[in-house]
Amino acid sequence: MINSTTVPNNSTLDVCPVPTPTNSSIPSKPGDFNWTPQQQSIILGSFFYGYVLTQVPGGRIAEIFGGKLVYGVGVLLTAIFTILSPIAAFVDFKFFIVVRVLEGLGEGVTYPAMHAMLARWIPPLERSKFAAYVYAGSNIGTVISLPISGWLCTLDFGGGWPLCFYLFGGLGVLWFIAWMFLIYDTPQKHPRICPREVEYITNSIGPQEDKPSMSIPWCKFLTCLPLWAILIAQCGHHGFFTHS
């Protein structure tokens, strides 16, 4: 997206210099935007401004309205704003920032809603294993999409880099349609599940009654050492997103 050749040569900027082009079978293409390093940092961070705001509310909303709906709508909003990102970038820098923040707001509810669904579907002794499968899926998707995005950026069709937003945003919309037809909030609501499996899950988890008015034990949360250990480890893990 960035036209690196037009970035001002300012010795006060703490950034690496533009590398000298080497012999390559793929010619480099100039980007469409002359954003400074500071503007690029704002763009990269703006997604997380929205993402962090809906983390805690997302879990509570999923408990009240169901993880299926909250998770699905979260991904749908993320997909829609992903598709709008190239358009917003060409319209105005500030408009692009707003779209990125809104995209983060939608994405922020997904992991809390996912855990709300795991609590209803997975027996306690199997929950850590299945949560690991779910988290691994998101990382596998990242590994697959990064080289595909790099390849899309080399294409002349559609400007190259906008294809990344259109493709993965479009896949998100298709995913939402399949999600709403195939996924259910609880085993008891699933029309095709084996009755013995429903009985096993119910006996392992216990009765699953909706209690939206149930109070939240904030004091127990704040004094729970395992919770603080997870929070610290998770903050360290998010260097994966902020290293650039």
Side-chain angles (χ1 to χ4, degrees):
M1 297 175 68
I2 307 300
N3 189 349
S4 302
T5 60
T6 62
V7 175
N9 184 16
N10 189 341
S11 60
T12 62
L13 296 178
D14 186 19
V15 295
C16 296
V18 178
T20 303
T22 57
N23 293 330
S24 174
S25 58
I26 303 177
S28 60
K29 298 190 302 181
D32 294 297
F33 305 103
N34 299 326
W35 291 328
T36 65
Q38 290 86 349
Q39 289 176 311
Q40 296 175 46
S41 299
I42 295 173
I43 292 171
L44 293 173
S46 59
F47 172 87
F48 295 98
Y49 300 155
Y51 184 79
V52 72
L53 292 177
T54 51
Q55 289 284 308
V56 175
R60 188 56 175 165
I61 294 172
E63 290 178 344
I64 298 174
F65 297 102
K68 170 188 174 179
L69 181 63
V70 176
Y71 195 107
V73 172
V75 173
L76 176 64
L77 292 176
T78 303
I80 292 174
F81 288 117
T82 297
I83 295 173
L84 292 176
S85 293
I87 301 172
F90 281 111
V91 171
D92 183 68
F93 172 78
K94 294 181 180 179
F95 185 36
F96 187 34
I97 296 298
V98 172
V99 168
R100 292 281 295 170
V101 172
L102 293 174
E103 183 181 347
L105 288 172
E107 182 74 14
V109 304
T110 54
Y111 278 102
M114 176 194 74
H115 283 285
M117 295 192 69
L118 289 174
R120 291 179 176 268
W121 272 91
I122 309 301
L125 296 180
E126 303 176 41
R127 201 163 289 163
S128 297
K129 178 176 68 175
F130 278 90
Y133 291 156
V134 174
Y135 276 92
S138 63
N139 289 323
I140 291 172
T142 301
V143 171
I144 294 174
S145 61
L146 284 176
I148 294 177
S149 298
W151 173 72
L152 291 173
C153 289
T154 65
L155 301 180
D156 292 326
F157 177 77
W161 64 264
L163 296 177
C164 303
F165 294 91
Y166 298 145
L167 173 63
F168 294 113
L171 290 175
V173 173
L174 295 177
W175 176 95
F176 169 77
I177 296 173
W179 173 268
M180 296 304 294
F181 279 103
L182 300 175
I183 303 301
Y184 296 86
D185 280 314
T186 63
Q188 291 78 9
K189 295 180 180 179
H190 201 297
R192 296 179 298 275
I193 193 172
C194 174
R196 294 181 60 185
E197 186 175 2
V198 175
E199 182 182 1
Y200 169 71
I201 295 174
T202 303
N203 292 335
S204 300
I205 299 177
Q208 301 189 41
E209 299 178 0
D210 294 325
K211 297 180 180 180
S213 60
M214 185 172 57
S215 61
I216 301 176
W218 291 108
C219 292
K220 291 184 178 180
F221 287 164
L222 296 175
T223 57
C224 179
L225 291 179
L227 175 62
W228 281 104
I230 293 173
L231 287 174
I232 294 172
Q234 189 70 11
C235 289
H237 161 73
H238 276 291
F240 173 74
F241 300 103
T242 59
H243 70 278
S244 59

